[in-house]
Amino acid sequence: MQLIINNRVYTDNSNEADENSVFVVSKQNERFKEAAVANGCKQIINSSELKNYIDLSAIKIIGITGTNGKTTTAAAIYSILLDLGYKVALQGTRGFFINEERIEEYSLTTPVQLGNFVHIQKAMQNGCDFFVMEVSSHAIEQKRIEGLDFALKIHTNITRDHLDYHKTIEEYINVKNSFLSDETPKLINKDDPKVKCNTKNGFAYSLENPSTYKVDAYSFKNGMHVMFNHFGRHYSFSSMMMGIFNVYNLMAAVAAVHITTKKPLEEICEALEGFGGVSGRMETISLNPLVIVDFAHTPDGMDEVLKSFNEKDIICVFGAGGDRDKLKRPLMGTVAAKYSKHIIVTSDNPRFEDPDRIIEEILSGIKNHSSVQVEINRKEAIKKAIEMANENSVVLVLGKGDESTQIIYDKKFPFSDKEEILKVLKNKSI
């Protein structure tokens, strides 16, 4: 990765380092420092110093962390800011965007440190007022966001995830909360008891507890309708999106834009209504039968999706990723059993694990359920679920969202839940 400042190349790759470049040493590449020197590099700086060589003050950086909701919240903020007339960049799981144009495809949730600086520099060169970015727990722990001054830090929630990397839930919680430990303006979900922060310059949103942006009422009929108050004044917005967790996500987006722009809340709420949601996040693929795709791949994420349809007969299709936290698998099964009328356990991205074994671990959490099927072939599992559907049901296909591949061993094979659903529906109508 290369960053060019005043015609000088800054690189974190020792193979690219030479006498005319600056080698940036980080936690990830410090073992290659001597290789950079051997290649003739004479100037070496620490990653913490990089901010001293480039002026980022012309752009406001908004960072969103949390187990669930990062992508939707970031996309909603991006959409609202664009509708309000600002120039905006968005960086996250779905890629890198500038002013509604996708510049790069899917990538890491948060790039390496130099990658962040490259993207922010490109955003500034395109006249952007804001840079909205998802911040993963890996990025926090690995100091990939080192040197960035945030105009606002947002925390959506903390639930179980990435324990294959962080080892314990306590470590994961501590890493997430460390993002909020300074005096940077921050916005937290007041209803999440796991969130701990430095309260200086703090704002909060909530559905249950008192907060700066407090939801008073919401309903789901042809989308969602939300009423909230801010210091005693009442406001409202509507959206075609569904799910209680999306009330939180959209409330966070409204509050974030209000904090960073000081625009009237009425104007912000009006702009929000142009946001249609994110592909693969609570995405309605069909209304008759009702079929929805979501990225939920943790027990808490599944719980949030499933409880949003308690008035329906839920047909739940899901699996679990291989080479990831194994302890969550039976918990996912338990959540599915709690809400679903029919469960079809299938394969997700098995990677180097035996998919049958993954399914067995999920099934260990499903006790005494009257309707559970195992279909290891995800395409067939989707087909069976849709064939089972009627006017009272909802088919929820969970885990992969808008992913376009299925990972088996180290190979990526083309696979899209949405495309498979549409194929089944097309064949069904013929």
Side-chain angles (χ1 to χ4, degrees), residues 12-45:
D12 56 4
N13 185 339
S14 60
N15 293 323
E16 296 175 350
D18 58 27
E19 60 187 23
N20 299 313
S21 64
V22 179
F23 185 63
V24 183
V25 181
S26 67
K27 187 175 179 178
Q28 286 74 52
N29 70 355
E30 56 191 350
R31 65 186 183 279
F32 299 110
K33 180 178 173 180
E34 295 308 316
V37 173
N39 284 343
C41 184
K42 294 181 172 58
Q43 187 175 359
I44 294 174
I45 65 170

PDB file of all heavy atoms in Angstrom, residues 12-45:
ATOM      1  N   ASP A  12       4.034   0.684   3.417  1.00  0.00           N
ATOM      2  CA  ASP A  12       4.142  -0.264   4.534  1.00  0.00           C
ATOM      3  C   ASP A  12       4.624  -1.619   4.031  1.00  0.00           C
ATOM      4  O   ASP A  12       4.621  -2.597   4.765  1.00  0.00           O
ATOM      5  CB  ASP A  12       2.809  -0.405   5.272  1.00  0.00           C
ATOM      6  CG  ASP A  12       1.663  -0.821   4.361  1.00  0.00           C
ATOM      7  OD1 ASP A  12       1.895  -1.073   3.159  1.00  0.00           O
ATOM      8  OD2 ASP A  12       0.511  -0.892   4.850  1.00  0.00           O
ATOM      9  N   ASN A  13       5.038  -1.670   2.750  1.00  0.00           N
ATOM     10  CA  ASN A  13       5.519  -2.900   2.134  1.00  0.00           C
ATOM     11  C   ASN A  13       7.033  -2.798   1.955  1.00  0.00           C
ATOM     12  O   ASN A  13       7.518  -1.969   1.187  1.00  0.00           O
ATOM     13  CB  ASN A  13       4.824  -3.091   0.782  1.00  0.00           C
ATOM     14  CG  ASN A  13       5.187  -4.412   0.125  1.00  0.00           C
ATOM     15  OD1 ASN A  13       6.203  -5.029   0.432  1.00  0.00           O
ATOM     16  ND2 ASN A  13       4.356  -4.841  -0.814  1.00  0.00           N
ATOM     17  N   SER A  14       7.788  -3.634   2.643  1.00  0.00           N
ATOM     18  CA  SER A  14       9.256  -3.552   2.588  1.00  0.00           C
ATOM     19  C   SER A  14       9.788  -3.810   1.181  1.00  0.00           C
ATOM     20  O   SER A  14      10.863  -3.315   0.823  1.00  0.00           O
ATOM     21  CB  SER A  14       9.873  -4.547   3.579  1.00  0.00           C
ATOM     22  OG  SER A  14       9.470  -5.878   3.264  1.00  0.00           O
ATOM     23  N   ASN A  15       9.048  -4.562   0.373  1.00  0.00           N
ATOM     24  CA  ASN A  15       9.483  -4.823  -1.009  1.00  0.00           C
ATOM     25  C   ASN A  15       9.395  -3.571  -1.880  1.00  0.00           C
ATOM     26  O   ASN A  15      10.073  -3.463  -2.898  1.00  0.00           O
ATOM     27  CB  ASN A  15       8.627  -5.933  -1.637  1.00  0.00           C
ATOM     28  CG  ASN A  15       8.848  -7.274  -0.968  1.00  0.00           C
ATOM     29  OD1 ASN A  15       9.973  -7.598  -0.586  1.00  0.00           O
ATOM     30  ND2 ASN A  15       7.780  -8.053  -0.802  1.00  0.00           N
ATOM     31  N   GLU A  16       8.513  -2.634  -1.493  1.00  0.00           N
ATOM     32  CA  GLU A  16       8.359  -1.390  -2.242  1.00  0.00           C
ATOM     33  C   GLU A  16       9.276  -0.294  -1.708  1.00  0.00           C
ATOM     34  O   GLU A  16       9.440   0.752  -2.336  1.00  0.00           O
ATOM     35  CB  GLU A  16       6.914  -0.898  -2.162  1.00  0.00           C
ATOM     36  CG  GLU A  16       5.895  -1.819  -2.817  1.00  0.00           C
ATOM     37  CD  GLU A  16       4.469  -1.350  -2.593  1.00  0.00           C
ATOM     38  OE1 GLU A  16       4.273  -0.426  -1.765  1.00  0.00           O
ATOM     39  OE2 GLU A  16       3.549  -1.914  -3.210  1.00  0.00           O
ATOM     40  N   ALA A  17       9.851  -0.517  -0.536  1.00  0.00           N
ATOM     41  CA  ALA A  17      10.679   0.514   0.095  1.00  0.00           C
ATOM     42  C   ALA A  17      12.021   0.633  -0.615  1.00  0.00           C
ATOM     43  O   ALA A  17      12.653  -0.367  -0.959  1.00  0.00           O
ATOM     44  CB  ALA A  17      10.899   0.169   1.564  1.00  0.00           C
ATOM     45  N   ASP A  18      12.449   1.891  -0.858  1.00  0.00           N
ATOM     46  CA  ASP A  18      13.768   2.126  -1.444  1.00  0.00           C
ATOM     47  C   ASP A  18      14.297   3.458  -0.932  1.00  0.00           C
ATOM     48  O   ASP A  18      13.703   4.079  -0.044  1.00  0.00           O
ATOM     49  CB  ASP A  18      13.719   2.083  -2.975  1.00  0.00           C
ATOM     50  CG  ASP A  18      12.736   3.103  -3.566  1.00  0.00           C
ATOM     51  OD1 ASP A  18      12.492   4.148  -2.916  1.00  0.00           O
ATOM     52  OD2 ASP A  18      12.204   2.853  -4.674  1.00  0.00           O
ATOM     53  N   GLU A  19      15.370   3.946  -1.518  1.00  0.00           N
ATOM     54  CA  GLU A  19      16.015   5.168  -1.027  1.00  0.00           C
ATOM     55  C   GLU A  19      15.144   6.408  -1.200  1.00  0.00           C
ATOM     56  O   GLU A  19      15.373   7.425  -0.549  1.00  0.00           O
ATOM     57  CB  GLU A  19      17.349   5.369  -1.743  1.00  0.00           C
ATOM     58  CG  GLU A  19      17.206   5.512  -3.254  1.00  0.00           C
ATOM     59  CD  GLU A  19      18.547   5.534  -3.966  1.00  0.00           C
ATOM     60  OE1 GLU A  19      19.521   5.024  -3.395  1.00  0.00           O
ATOM     61  OE2 GLU A  19      18.598   6.071  -5.085  1.00  0.00           O
ATOM     62  N   ASN A  20      14.138   6.324  -2.073  1.00  0.00           N
ATOM     63  CA  ASN A  20      13.279   7.485  -2.314  1.00  0.00           C
ATOM     64  C   ASN A  20      11.960   7.443  -1.559  1.00  0.00           C
ATOM     65  O   ASN A  20      11.110   8.317  -1.741  1.00  0.00           O
ATOM     66  CB  ASN A  20      12.992   7.603  -3.815  1.00  0.00           C
ATOM     67  CG  ASN A  20      14.256   7.805  -4.622  1.00  0.00           C
ATOM     68  OD1 ASN A  20      15.082   8.641  -4.266  1.00  0.00           O
ATOM     69  ND2 ASN A  20      14.410   7.029  -5.691  1.00  0.00           N
ATOM     70  N   SER A  21      11.764   6.423  -0.749  1.00  0.00           N
ATOM     71  CA  SER A  21      10.479   6.277  -0.055  1.00  0.00           C
ATOM     72  C   SER A  21      10.651   6.276   1.461  1.00  0.00           C
ATOM     73  O   SER A  21      11.765   6.188   1.983  1.00  0.00           O
ATOM     74  CB  SER A  21       9.789   4.983  -0.499  1.00  0.00           C
ATOM     75  OG  SER A  21      10.550   3.863  -0.124  1.00  0.00           O
ATOM     76  N   VAL A  22       9.506   6.378   2.142  1.00  0.00           N
ATOM     77  CA  VAL A  22       9.472   6.334   3.609  1.00  0.00           C
ATOM     78  C   VAL A  22       8.762   5.040   4.005  1.00  0.00           C
ATOM     79  O   VAL A  22       7.658   4.752   3.521  1.00  0.00           O
ATOM     80  CB  VAL A  22       8.690   7.541   4.185  1.00  0.00           C
ATOM     81  CG1 VAL A  22       8.634   7.462   5.705  1.00  0.00           C
ATOM     82  CG2 VAL A  22       9.317   8.856   3.732  1.00  0.00           C
ATOM     83  N   PHE A  23       9.396   4.244   4.859  1.00  0.00           N
ATOM     84  CA  PHE A  23       8.786   2.999   5.318  1.00  0.00           C
ATOM     85  C   PHE A  23       8.050   3.261   6.626  1.00  0.00           C
ATOM     86  O   PHE A  23       8.619   3.779   7.582  1.00  0.00           O
ATOM     87  CB  PHE A  23       9.854   1.922   5.517  1.00  0.00           C
ATOM     88  CG  PHE A  23       9.289   0.571   5.883  1.00  0.00           C
ATOM     89  CD1 PHE A  23       8.457  -0.106   5.007  1.00  0.00           C
ATOM     90  CD2 PHE A  23       9.589  -0.010   7.104  1.00  0.00           C
ATOM     91  CE1 PHE A  23       7.936  -1.356   5.330  1.00  0.00           C
ATOM     92  CE2 PHE A  23       9.071  -1.262   7.443  1.00  0.00           C
ATOM     93  CZ  PHE A  23       8.241  -1.938   6.554  1.00  0.00           C
ATOM     94  N   VAL A  24       6.750   2.926   6.638  1.00  0.00           N
ATOM     95  CA  VAL A  24       5.901   3.156   7.816  1.00  0.00           C
ATOM     96  C   VAL A  24       5.785   1.851   8.597  1.00  0.00           C
ATOM     97  O   VAL A  24       5.215   0.871   8.113  1.00  0.00           O
ATOM     98  CB  VAL A  24       4.500   3.660   7.412  1.00  0.00           C
ATOM     99  CG1 VAL A  24       3.665   3.965   8.658  1.00  0.00           C
ATOM    100  CG2 VAL A  24       4.608   4.900   6.525  1.00  0.00           C
ATOM    101  N   VAL A  25       6.334   1.847   9.804  1.00  0.00           N
ATOM    102  CA  VAL A  25       6.361   0.639  10.636  1.00  0.00           C
ATOM    103  C   VAL A  25       5.110   0.575  11.510  1.00  0.00           C
ATOM    104  O   VAL A  25       4.792   1.532  12.223  1.00  0.00           O
ATOM    105  CB  VAL A  25       7.611   0.620  11.548  1.00  0.00           C
ATOM    106  CG1 VAL A  25       7.633  -0.657  12.390  1.00  0.00           C
ATOM    107  CG2 VAL A  25       8.874   0.717  10.723  1.00  0.00           C
ATOM    108  N   SER A  26       4.404  -0.550  11.440  1.00  0.00           N
ATOM    109  CA  SER A  26       3.210  -0.750  12.248  1.00  0.00           C
ATOM    110  C   SER A  26       3.317  -2.071  13.006  1.00  0.00           C
ATOM    111  O   SER A  26       4.286  -2.828  12.844  1.00  0.00           O
ATOM    112  CB  SER A  26       1.964  -0.765  11.367  1.00  0.00           C
ATOM    113  OG  SER A  26       1.982  -1.914  10.532  1.00  0.00           O
ATOM    114  N   LYS A  27       2.297  -2.368  13.780  1.00  0.00           N
ATOM    115  CA  LYS A  27       2.244  -3.626  14.533  1.00  0.00           C
ATOM    116  C   LYS A  27       2.289  -4.819  13.583  1.00  0.00           C
ATOM    117  O   LYS A  27       2.810  -5.883  13.926  1.00  0.00           O
ATOM    118  CB  LYS A  27       0.968  -3.654  15.373  1.00  0.00           C
ATOM    119  CG  LYS A  27       0.856  -4.810  16.333  1.00  0.00           C
ATOM    120  CD  LYS A  27      -0.385  -4.673  17.198  1.00  0.00           C
ATOM    121  CE  LYS A  27      -0.506  -5.856  18.160  1.00  0.00           C
ATOM    122  NZ  LYS A  27      -1.682  -5.736  19.044  1.00  0.00           N
ATOM    123  N   GLN A  28       1.727  -4.634  12.366  1.00  0.00           N
ATOM    124  CA  GLN A  28       1.642  -5.742  11.422  1.00  0.00           C
ATOM    125  C   GLN A  28       2.948  -6.009  10.664  1.00  0.00           C
ATOM    126  O   GLN A  28       3.193  -7.134  10.245  1.00  0.00           O
ATOM    127  CB  GLN A  28       0.534  -5.474  10.384  1.00  0.00           C
ATOM    128  CG  GLN A  28      -0.884  -5.632  10.904  1.00  0.00           C
ATOM    129  CD  GLN A  28      -1.286  -4.482  11.807  1.00  0.00           C
ATOM    130  OE1 GLN A  28      -1.150  -3.329  11.441  1.00  0.00           O
ATOM    131  NE2 GLN A  28      -1.768  -4.800  12.997  1.00  0.00           N
ATOM    132  N   ASN A  29       3.774  -4.968  10.457  1.00  0.00           N
ATOM    133  CA  ASN A  29       4.925  -5.172   9.561  1.00  0.00           C
ATOM    134  C   ASN A  29       6.281  -4.902  10.199  1.00  0.00           C
ATOM    135  O   ASN A  29       7.297  -4.844   9.494  1.00  0.00           O
ATOM    136  CB  ASN A  29       4.776  -4.292   8.310  1.00  0.00           C
ATOM    137  CG  ASN A  29       4.947  -2.814   8.611  1.00  0.00           C
ATOM    138  OD1 ASN A  29       5.097  -2.411   9.766  1.00  0.00           O
ATOM    139  ND2 ASN A  29       4.918  -1.993   7.576  1.00  0.00           N
ATOM    140  N   GLU A  30       6.313  -4.748  11.529  1.00  0.00           N
ATOM    141  CA  GLU A  30       7.575  -4.352  12.172  1.00  0.00           C
ATOM    142  C   GLU A  30       8.700  -5.375  11.942  1.00  0.00           C
ATOM    143  O   GLU A  30       9.886  -5.014  11.922  1.00  0.00           O
ATOM    144  CB  GLU A  30       7.367  -4.100  13.672  1.00  0.00           C
ATOM    145  CG  GLU A  30       6.775  -5.249  14.447  1.00  0.00           C
ATOM    146  CD  GLU A  30       6.366  -4.825  15.863  1.00  0.00           C
ATOM    147  OE1 GLU A  30       6.726  -3.707  16.255  1.00  0.00           O
ATOM    148  OE2 GLU A  30       5.705  -5.631  16.541  1.00  0.00           O
ATOM    149  N   ARG A  31       8.340  -6.642  11.714  1.00  0.00           N
ATOM    150  CA  ARG A  31       9.380  -7.661  11.491  1.00  0.00           C
ATOM    151  C   ARG A  31      10.069  -7.496  10.136  1.00  0.00           C
ATOM    152  O   ARG A  31      11.095  -8.135   9.871  1.00  0.00           O
ATOM    153  CB  ARG A  31       8.787  -9.066  11.636  1.00  0.00           C
ATOM    154  CG  ARG A  31       7.762  -9.445  10.601  1.00  0.00           C
ATOM    155  CD  ARG A  31       7.132 -10.805  10.951  1.00  0.00           C
ATOM    156  NE  ARG A  31       6.175 -11.267   9.954  1.00  0.00           N
ATOM    157  CZ  ARG A  31       4.921 -10.857   9.874  1.00  0.00           C
ATOM    158  NH1 ARG A  31       4.459  -9.949  10.730  1.00  0.00           N
ATOM    159  NH2 ARG A  31       4.110 -11.355   8.954  1.00  0.00           N
ATOM    160  N   PHE A  32       9.516  -6.639   9.261  1.00  0.00           N
ATOM    161  CA  PHE A  32      10.113  -6.428   7.935  1.00  0.00           C
ATOM    162  C   PHE A  32      10.933  -5.128   7.864  1.00  0.00           C
ATOM    163  O   PHE A  32      11.369  -4.723   6.787  1.00  0.00           O
ATOM    164  CB  PHE A  32       9.021  -6.398   6.861  1.00  0.00           C
ATOM    165  CG  PHE A  32       8.234  -7.677   6.764  1.00  0.00           C
ATOM    166  CD1 PHE A  32       6.910  -7.726   7.169  1.00  0.00           C
ATOM    167  CD2 PHE A  32       8.840  -8.825   6.285  1.00  0.00           C
ATOM    168  CE1 PHE A  32       6.187  -8.907   7.084  1.00  0.00           C
ATOM    169  CE2 PHE A  32       8.126 -10.016   6.187  1.00  0.00           C
ATOM    170  CZ  PHE A  32       6.792 -10.063   6.596  1.00  0.00           C
ATOM    171  N   LYS A  33      11.116  -4.516   9.007  1.00  0.00           N
ATOM    172  CA  LYS A  33      11.849  -3.228   9.051  1.00  0.00           C
ATOM    173  C   LYS A  33      13.265  -3.379   8.476  1.00  0.00           C
ATOM    174  O   LYS A  33      13.713  -2.552   7.661  1.00  0.00           O
ATOM    175  CB  LYS A  33      11.894  -2.739  10.494  1.00  0.00           C
ATOM    176  CG  LYS A  33      12.615  -1.424  10.699  1.00  0.00           C
ATOM    177  CD  LYS A  33      12.555  -1.016  12.172  1.00  0.00           C
ATOM    178  CE  LYS A  33      13.397   0.210  12.462  1.00  0.00           C
ATOM    179  NZ  LYS A  33      13.337   0.586  13.905  1.00  0.00           N
ATOM    180  N   GLU A  34      13.958  -4.435   8.870  1.00  0.00           N
ATOM    181  CA  GLU A  34      15.334  -4.633   8.392  1.00  0.00           C
ATOM    182  C   GLU A  34      15.372  -4.892   6.891  1.00  0.00           C
ATOM    183  O   GLU A  34      16.320  -4.497   6.201  1.00  0.00           O
ATOM    184  CB  GLU A  34      15.999  -5.786   9.151  1.00  0.00           C
ATOM    185  CG  GLU A  34      16.196  -5.527  10.647  1.00  0.00           C
ATOM    186  CD  GLU A  34      16.898  -4.202  10.911  1.00  0.00           C
ATOM    187  OE1 GLU A  34      17.887  -3.904  10.210  1.00  0.00           O
ATOM    188  OE2 GLU A  34      16.446  -3.465  11.817  1.00  0.00           O
ATOM    189  N   ALA A  35      14.335  -5.540   6.385  1.00  0.00           N
ATOM    190  CA  ALA A  35      14.262  -5.793   4.938  1.00  0.00           C
ATOM    191  C   ALA A  35      14.127  -4.479   4.182  1.00  0.00           C
ATOM    192  O   ALA A  35      14.713  -4.306   3.100  1.00  0.00           O
ATOM    193  CB  ALA A  35      13.074  -6.708   4.625  1.00  0.00           C
ATOM    194  N   ALA A  36      13.366  -3.530   4.747  1.00  0.00           N
ATOM    195  CA  ALA A  36      13.217  -2.209   4.117  1.00  0.00           C
ATOM    196  C   ALA A  36      14.565  -1.489   4.072  1.00  0.00           C
ATOM    197  O   ALA A  36      14.928  -0.871   3.065  1.00  0.00           O
ATOM    198  CB  ALA A  36      12.179  -1.385   4.879  1.00  0.00           C
ATOM    199  N   VAL A  37      15.318  -1.591   5.174  1.00  0.00           N
ATOM    200  CA  VAL A  37      16.645  -0.964   5.248  1.00  0.00           C
ATOM    201  C   VAL A  37      17.572  -1.607   4.221  1.00  0.00           C
ATOM    202  O   VAL A  37      18.330  -0.926   3.514  1.00  0.00           O
ATOM    203  CB  VAL A  37      17.228  -1.102   6.670  1.00  0.00           C
ATOM    204  CG1 VAL A  37      18.671  -0.619   6.708  1.00  0.00           C
ATOM    205  CG2 VAL A  37      16.373  -0.323   7.673  1.00  0.00           C
ATOM    206  N   ALA A  38      17.492  -2.930   4.100  1.00  0.00           N
ATOM    207  CA  ALA A  38      18.338  -3.655   3.142  1.00  0.00           C
ATOM    208  C   ALA A  38      18.021  -3.251   1.706  1.00  0.00           C
ATOM    209  O   ALA A  38      18.893  -3.315   0.830  1.00  0.00           O
ATOM    210  CB  ALA A  38      18.147  -5.157   3.323  1.00  0.00           C
ATOM    211  N   ASN A  39      16.773  -2.806   1.476  1.00  0.00           N
ATOM    212  CA  ASN A  39      16.377  -2.357   0.131  1.00  0.00           C
ATOM    213  C   ASN A  39      16.800  -0.918  -0.144  1.00  0.00           C
ATOM    214  O   ASN A  39      16.487  -0.378  -1.207  1.00  0.00           O
ATOM    215  CB  ASN A  39      14.863  -2.482  -0.040  1.00  0.00           C
ATOM    216  CG  ASN A  39      14.436  -3.921  -0.270  1.00  0.00           C
ATOM    217  OD1 ASN A  39      15.250  -4.762  -0.607  1.00  0.00           O
ATOM    218  ND2 ASN A  39      13.152  -4.195  -0.068  1.00  0.00           N
ATOM    219  N   GLY A  40      17.468  -0.295   0.827  1.00  0.00           N
ATOM    220  CA  GLY A  40      17.986   1.051   0.618  1.00  0.00           C
ATOM    221  C   GLY A  40      17.171   2.156   1.247  1.00  0.00           C
ATOM    222  O   GLY A  40      17.488   3.343   1.085  1.00  0.00           O
ATOM    223  N   CYS A  41      16.095   1.798   1.962  1.00  0.00           N
ATOM    224  CA  CYS A  41      15.240   2.825   2.573  1.00  0.00           C
ATOM    225  C   CYS A  41      15.988   3.518   3.709  1.00  0.00           C
ATOM    226  O   CYS A  41      16.520   2.862   4.619  1.00  0.00           O
ATOM    227  CB  CYS A  41      13.955   2.172   3.097  1.00  0.00           C
ATOM    228  SG  CYS A  41      12.778   3.362   3.753  1.00  0.00           S
ATOM    229  N   LYS A  42      16.016   4.848   3.656  1.00  0.00           N
ATOM    230  CA  LYS A  42      16.765   5.607   4.645  1.00  0.00           C
ATOM    231  C   LYS A  42      15.867   6.271   5.695  1.00  0.00           C
ATOM    232  O   LYS A  42      16.328   6.617   6.778  1.00  0.00           O
ATOM    233  CB  LYS A  42      17.606   6.693   3.953  1.00  0.00           C
ATOM    234  CG  LYS A  42      18.711   6.122   3.066  1.00  0.00           C
ATOM    235  CD  LYS A  42      19.518   7.226   2.435  1.00  0.00           C
ATOM    236  CE  LYS A  42      20.736   6.707   1.699  1.00  0.00           C
ATOM    237  NZ  LYS A  42      20.399   5.740   0.651  1.00  0.00           N
ATOM    238  N   GLN A  43      14.600   6.475   5.364  1.00  0.00           N
ATOM    239  CA  GLN A  43      13.697   7.119   6.331  1.00  0.00           C
ATOM    240  C   GLN A  43      12.626   6.132   6.769  1.00  0.00           C
ATOM    241  O   GLN A  43      11.849   5.622   5.960  1.00  0.00           O
ATOM    242  CB  GLN A  43      13.035   8.366   5.734  1.00  0.00           C
ATOM    243  CG  GLN A  43      12.238   9.133   6.792  1.00  0.00           C
ATOM    244  CD  GLN A  43      11.656  10.443   6.271  1.00  0.00           C
ATOM    245  OE1 GLN A  43      11.859  10.805   5.118  1.00  0.00           O
ATOM    246  NE2 GLN A  43      10.928  11.144   7.115  1.00  0.00           N
ATOM    247  N   ILE A  44      12.602   5.884   8.061  1.00  0.00           N
ATOM    248  CA  ILE A  44      11.620   4.968   8.645  1.00  0.00           C
ATOM    249  C   ILE A  44      10.892   5.704   9.752  1.00  0.00           C
ATOM    250  O   ILE A  44      11.510   6.328  10.623  1.00  0.00           O
ATOM    251  CB  ILE A  44      12.315   3.700   9.197  1.00  0.00           C
ATOM    252  CG1 ILE A  44      12.928   2.912   8.030  1.00  0.00           C
ATOM    253  CG2 ILE A  44      11.326   2.827   9.969  1.00  0.00           C
ATOM    254  CD1 ILE A  44      13.766   1.735   8.444  1.00  0.00           C
ATOM    255  N   ILE A  45       9.553   5.666   9.704  1.00  0.00           N
ATOM    256  CA  ILE A  45       8.765   6.321  10.746  1.00  0.00           C
ATOM    257  C   ILE A  45       7.802   5.317  11.356  1.00  0.00           C
ATOM    258  O   ILE A  45       7.437   4.313  10.741  1.00  0.00           O
ATOM    259  CB  ILE A  45       7.968   7.536  10.210  1.00  0.00           C
ATOM    260  CG1 ILE A  45       6.899   7.092   9.191  1.00  0.00           C
ATOM    261  CG2 ILE A  45       8.895   8.587   9.618  1.00  0.00           C
ATOM    262  CD1 ILE A  45       5.926   8.194   8.810  1.00  0.00           C
TER     263      ILE A  45
END
